[in-house]
Amino acid sequence: MKIVNIVLRVLVGLMMLVFGANKFFNFIPMEHPEGLAGEVMAGFAKSGYIFPVVGLIEIIIGIAFLLNKMMPLASLIMLPLSINFIGFHLVADMAGIPGAAFVFLVNVYFIIRYKDKYMSLLKE
């Protein structure tokens, strides 16, 4: 099980780091999506702040996953992102759902794995 944890942690860490850095440096060429996905992405780009904020958060999470540091916190911070990845792809771009689902499921796996770390947050 330890090897599975390492593989999942490194894969998601690399995904978050690469896609986060791509929001700043655009080294992965991406076609402009059409339809609703294109409209949503254009709105995000027009806002001027969504992509840099999400990119920075992805980079921080990716580094935490790769270094195996603060994993409970990184998993918790990644939860709203991974939910939104799923939501976006379910509504606007079904072609990207496999990657989003992978990130979401691995995130849920790590949250369950570290559930004892969150118990103090749930006490009254």
Side-chain angles (χ1 to χ4, degrees):
M1 198 60 160
K2 189 174 185 173
I3 292 175
V4 171
N5 289 339
I6 293 169
V7 169
L8 291 175
R9 184 176 50 77
V10 169
L11 282 174
V12 170
L14 285 172
M15 287 175 73
M16 298 301 282
L17 185 62
V18 168
F19 286 110
N22 191 55
K23 287 177 178 61
F24 293 100
F25 303 112
N26 299 314
F27 52 84
I28 301 173
M30 297 187 159
E31 294 180 24
H32 184 73
E34 296 181 14
L36 179 59
E39 292 176 30
V40 171
M41 295 303 253
F44 289 161
K46 191 174 182 179
S47 77
Y49 79 94
I50 297 273
F51 285 136
V53 168
V54 171
L56 182 62
I57 292 168
E58 287 175 337
I59 290 168
I60 292 167
I61 291 168
I63 291 169
F65 268 56
L66 289 171
L67 297 177
N68 196 24
K69 299 291 183 189
M70 299 185 293
M71 284 294 297
L73 179 60
S75 295
L76 200 58
I77 292 170
M78 191 169 83
L79 186 60
L81 285 179
S82 65
I83 290 170
N84 278 287
F85 296 159
I86 288 283
F88 172 78
H89 287 292
L90 281 174
V91 171
D93 182 28
M94 281 299 287
I97 201 74
F102 175 73
V103 169
F104 175 75
L105 292 172
V106 170
N107 190 27
V108 169
Y109 168 78
F110 280 114
I111 286 176
I112 291 169
R113 183 173 185 277
Y114 294 113
K115 70 179 183 240
D116 59 312
K117 303 287 187 184
Y118 308 122
M119 287 302 144
S120 64
L121 296 172
L122 302 174
K123 292 180 183 175
E124 286 190 38

